[in-house]
Amino acid sequence: MSLTRTQQVQTNGSSATIPTSPFLPVFCAAIAGGIFIADTITPTEFAFGVLYVGVVLLAARFLQWRGVVLVTLGCMALAVLSYLLSQHYVSPGLAVANRLLSLAVIGVAGFLAVQGHSRELVLREQAGLLDLTHDTIFVRDRDDVIVYWNRGAEELYGWKKAEAVGKVTHQLLQTVFPMPLEEITAELFRAGRWQGELVHTKKDGTAAIVASRWSLQRDARGHSFAILETNNDITERKRVEDLTGQVFESSPDGISVIGRDYRFQRVNPVYERIWQMPADRLVGQHVGDLLGTKFFEQEAKSYLDRCFAGESVSFEGWFAHPAGRRYRIMTYSPLRLHSGQVEAALAIIHDLTEHMLASEALRAAQTELAHVNRVTTMGQLTASIAHEVKQPIAAVVTNTDAALNWLGAQPPNLDRVREILGQIADDGNRAGQVFDRIRALVKKAPPRKNRFDLNEAILEVIALARSEVLKHDVSLQTGLATGLPAADGDRVQLQQVILNLILNAVDAMRGLGEGARELLISTEVDAAGGVLVTVRDSGMGLDPNDADRVFEAFYTTKPEGLGMGLAICRSIVAAHGGQMWASANKPRGAVFQFTLPPESDETARAEPTGGGLVV
């Protein structure tokens, strides 16, 4: 593409018709007529017919190739007609030779004009195709003056063709280069091409980052005459990359990229602090070199292989670390390129050590508080417990006296004595069971999760509180479902919840002057397959507005209460994966309910054996 042709394409666009002056065809016809007259009256030794070449070339400026062919044939016909009409003063052979020469020159001129017109048409069509692309394409000469500017360039930069053509490209666009322009130019002329990222300024003053490709255009002799520059707008992509880079660098988590060769490709500052090693030492290092070959082969490699296969892997636990054991959540996510193949793994380490230590301290405090609450509750039941123990002891004394009397009879009634001794043993066991239940509730022991019969545990609590219930004329009934799934949790803690709810219900009905004092404890299987426990009383009732506040710490309606019992109960139920709530009973009283999940709420921890390092 020569400079002249480039300018023509720029001017003419993709149109198939070259715009010309309306007087040009008339002028062309007048010249043809003048040549015909001159050729006719001039002696044959003068080859005036050659002048028709000018007519053909002039016609090529405003006609398409078919029109050029017709003009060429017309000029050749005029040349023949002139020969026939002219006087031949010389030999006929010379006249024919001159006429054939004229016809040949006219034909060659027409052929070249048609060929040139076809090339121009191809160039115009190519220019039209360049206008269809969204990329910016423009051509500049060796002095960086723009000679072609496509529609993509207009849309990106805001300057129309007429405004851009003739301007120095780097001045118009205020180009910011990644290196000195002299070095770029040297590379362009050495290799014939250059590519890189440039920053251009649009007409409205905003910046555009482009991926730029330069190609040097040479002529047939190898001399450079133009530079084709193609630019792809990557402003948004660079902005996203910058934001992503900021996230990578400023993230509070340790982030690294691990290649399929198990070597670190990139690490962030947090990762450097975790391993107390600069990035330039970590990058390129094999995971096994950092963690140890044994741990890498037994643990880390399997997780990474799953990630390279396309799976997102996450695990957590306590891990060894140069600064001590740390609790971390580790995530491997596959990174894919355009091919869709996993090229690397994005490894993220989230440190939860402080959170886990705080959680353990909180659980210890809650356990201690729950123990204090149980001891306090048992103190409130002192009179009832004394009565509960006094009954079997009194029976033991009575039965002992009776046994002595039967032994003193003549003859001794040994069968009767044996029967009474059996009753004494039963009463002793009753007293022992009371003490066992009390010791289990007041004993300070860490939480233990076991599977147990919840109905049986509820009946044990009812037996312990029976005297308190009877003392306040409360009618306690049970509706315990048969075939109830086994509960999974700490038996003592859940018995504490039941005991608190029973005593609260009894206390709520203590001041009633009239009406039945009824307490119903029921169990059933809920919709999720777990267990639903309900404690329903006919006491003073519950304000619907306070249905949730009763579980707040230190909230109480009792003058002597601390407001911790229900708060502890809800925390115990929550620790078992369940929920607890309260509502008003109909026609009066309150209903307290809680659920326990069908299975243990704990999830298995994927912790490397031996407390190995984690990457």
Side-chain angles (χ1 to χ4, degrees):
M1 181 185 293
S2 67
L3 179 59
T4 303
R5 288 175 179 171
T6 304
Q7 290 172 331
Q8 290 174 346
V9 171
Q10 173 63 39
T11 303
N12 301 329
S14 60
S15 173
T17 303
I18 303 177
T20 59
S21 170
F23 300 104
L24 192 57
V26 178
F27 180 64
C28 184
I31 293 176
I35 295 173
F36 173 76
I37 294 173
D39 190 24
T40 302
I41 65 177
T42 303
T44 56
E45 58 266 19
F46 296 98
F48 263 91
V50 176
L51 297 179
Y52 284 115
V53 171
V55 176
V56 173
L57 297 178
L58 186 61
R61 297 292 300 170
F62 61 89
L63 294 177
Q64 297 184 19
W65 71 271
R66 292 183 180 84
V68 174
V69 171
L70 292 176
V71 169
T72 302
L73 294 176
C75 290
M76 295 174 71
L78 290 176
V80 172
L81 182 61
S82 296
Y83 173 77
L84 297 175
L85 297 177
S86 62
Q87 297 291 328
H88 303 289
Y89 299 104
V90 295
S91 64
L94 179 60
V96 172
N98 286 339
R99 194 57 50 185
L100 292 176
L101 175 62
S102 298
L103 293 175
V105 171
I106 295 171
V108 170
F111 175 77
L112 294 177
V114 170
Q115 271 202 331
H117 194 281
S118 298
R119 285 195 295 270
E120 293 289 348
L121 181 60
V122 170
L123 291 176
R124 286 195 295 270
E125 291 175 348
Q126 291 175 345
L129 292 176
L130 292 179
D131 273 338
L132 296 178
T133 180
H134 293 290
D135 291 342
T136 67
I137 300 176
F138 53 86
V139 180
R140 47 192 170 89
D141 60 19
R142 289 178 58 91
D143 297 324
D144 292 328
V145 175
I146 299 172
V147 296
Y148 173 74
W149 187 263
N150 80 331
R151 185 176 291 112
E154 290 183 340
E155 294 175 353
L156 175 60
Y157 298 116
W159 284 287
K160 298 298 183 182
K161 294 179 182 179
E163 298 174 301
V165 172
K167 301 293 193 306
V168 176
T169 172
H170 305 317
Q171 294 178 359
L172 178 69
L173 301 177
Q174 303 177 38
T175 309
V176 178
F177 299 97
M179 61 182 70
L181 178 58
E182 293 76 12
E183 296 182 15
I184 296 177
T185 304
E187 173 68 18
L188 174 66
F189 280 91
R190 183 188 64 82
R193 63 179 58 86
W194 177 86
Q195 64 180 14
E197 293 182 2
L198 304 176
V199 180
H200 287 155
T201 300
K202 303 179 185 179
K203 186 176 182 179
D204 61 7
T206 59
I209 304 174
V210 297
S212 186
R213 298 180 298 278
W214 298 3
S215 297
L216 189 64
Q217 307 297 300
R218 301 180 185 273
D219 58 21
R221 292 176 295 178
H223 297 156
S224 60
F225 63 87
I227 300 169
L228 175 67
E229 182 171 333
T230 304
N231 295 323
N232 183 19
D233 186 9
I234 59 172
T235 306
E236 290 302 319
R237 191 186 78 188
K238 293 296 292 184
R239 182 177 291 111
V240 172
E241 289 178 356
D242 290 342
L243 291 175
T244 304
Q246 291 181 29
V247 171
F248 188 91
E249 296 297 327
S250 62
S251 172
D253 297 329
I255 305 177
S256 65
V257 177
I258 303 174
R260 297 185 68 92
D261 58 356
Y262 308 106
R263 295 185 180 276
F264 293 101
Q265 297 180 352
R266 185 178 178 184
V267 298
N268 73 338
V270 175
Y271 218 87
E272 297 179 70
R273 292 196 296 270
I274 290 175
W275 292 107
Q276 302 174 6
M277 190 181 301
D280 57 357
R281 287 184 56 193
L282 284 169
V283 172
Q285 190 170 163
H286 194 279
V287 173
D289 296 337
L290 185 66
L291 305 181
T293 304
K294 181 179 179 181
F295 177 73
F296 171 73
E297 292 294 340
Q298 294 180 352
E299 301 292 344
K301 186 175 184 297
S302 62
Y303 291 125
L304 287 170
D305 288 343
R306 287 166 58 188
C307 180
F308 293 143
E311 180 183 354
S312 293
V313 185
S314 181
F315 55 97
E316 61 184 278
W318 287 98
F319 299 95
H321 187 266
R325 283 170 58 83
R326 309 291 294 179
Y327 193 94
R328 291 187 171 127
I329 296 178
M330 187 67 203
T331 301
Y332 290 148
S333 300
L335 297 178
R336 295 178 172 87
L337 295 180
H338 300 295
S339 63
Q341 181 182 0
V342 178
E343 300 292 337
L346 178 67
I348 300 178
I349 298 176
H350 186 56
D351 195 310
L352 287 176
T353 305
E354 301 304 324
H355 172 76
M356 293 303 296
L357 292 175
S359 296
E360 290 179 355
L362 177 61
R363 284 195 295 270
Q366 288 175 336
T367 301
E368 182 67 25
L369 186 59
H371 174 252
V372 171
N373 177 260
R374 289 199 301 271
V375 173
T376 303
T377 301
M378 297 310 297
Q380 296 173 357
L381 288 175
T382 301
S384 296
I385 292 172
H387 178 74
E388 194 72 19
V389 175
K390 184 178 179 180
Q391 283 185 332
I393 292 177
V396 168
V397 173
T398 302
N399 286 331
T400 301
D401 292 338
L404 291 173
N405 291 332
W406 288 114
L407 284 174
Q410 294 297 330
N413 191 339
L414 297 181
D415 292 336
R416 189 61 175 165
V417 171
R418 188 178 295 107
E419 179 183 349
I420 292 175
L421 289 177
Q423 295 176 359
I424 291 174
D426 291 340
D427 290 331
N429 288 332
R430 281 179 55 199
Q433 289 172 359
V434 172
F435 284 115
D436 288 342
R437 287 193 290 267
I438 295 172
R439 183 171 63 250
L441 285 172
V442 300
K443 183 179 178 181
K444 184 177 181 180
R448 293 183 302 177
K449 284 203 170 184
N450 299 299
R451 299 187 69 81
F452 62 93
D453 188 331
L454 185 60
N455 286 341
E456 181 182 286
I458 292 174
L459 292 175
E460 289 179 0
V461 175
I462 292 175
L464 190 62
R466 180 176 54 188
S467 296
E468 187 72 11
V469 171
L470 295 176
K471 183 173 69 175
H472 295 91
D473 297 325
V474 174
S475 173
L476 191 153
Q477 298 178 358
T478 59
L480 306 180
T482 59
L484 199 68
D488 187 8
D490 189 289
R491 182 189 188 102
V492 172
Q493 287 188 351
L494 292 175
Q495 283 184 319
Q496 178 181 352
V497 173
I498 300 296
L499 182 59
N500 271 89
L501 295 179
I502 290 175
L503 295 181
N504 283 348
V506 171
D507 190 68
M509 294 183 286
R510 183 189 305 176
L512 292 179
E514 298 179 358
R517 300 177 182 181
E518 297 177 347
L519 176 60
L520 173 63
I521 302 175
S522 62
T523 59
E524 60 182 288
V525 179
D526 66 5
V531 179
L532 172 65
V533 179
T534 303
V535 178
R536 189 185 308 268
D537 66 63
S538 59
M540 300 297 295
L542 180 68
D543 187 344
N545 296 326
D546 294 335
D548 204 54
R549 290 196 62 196
V550 295
F551 296 104
E552 296 178 3
F554 307 112
Y555 176 82
T556 180
T557 58
K558 305 175 184 178
E560 71 282 1
L562 293 176
M564 292 299 297
L566 289 175
I568 294 172
C569 289
R570 174 176 270 189
S571 67
I572 291 174
V573 172
H576 284 75
Q579 293 181 324
M580 188 174 191
W581 65 95
S583 60
N585 193 17
K586 299 289 182 66
R588 68 178 185 182
V591 179
F592 286 85
Q593 295 175 289
F594 68 87
T595 60
L596 296 176
E599 295 181 357
S600 175
D601 194 46
E602 288 188 351
T603 56
R605 307 293 190 188
E607 182 174 353
T609 58
L613 300 172
V614 65
V615 58

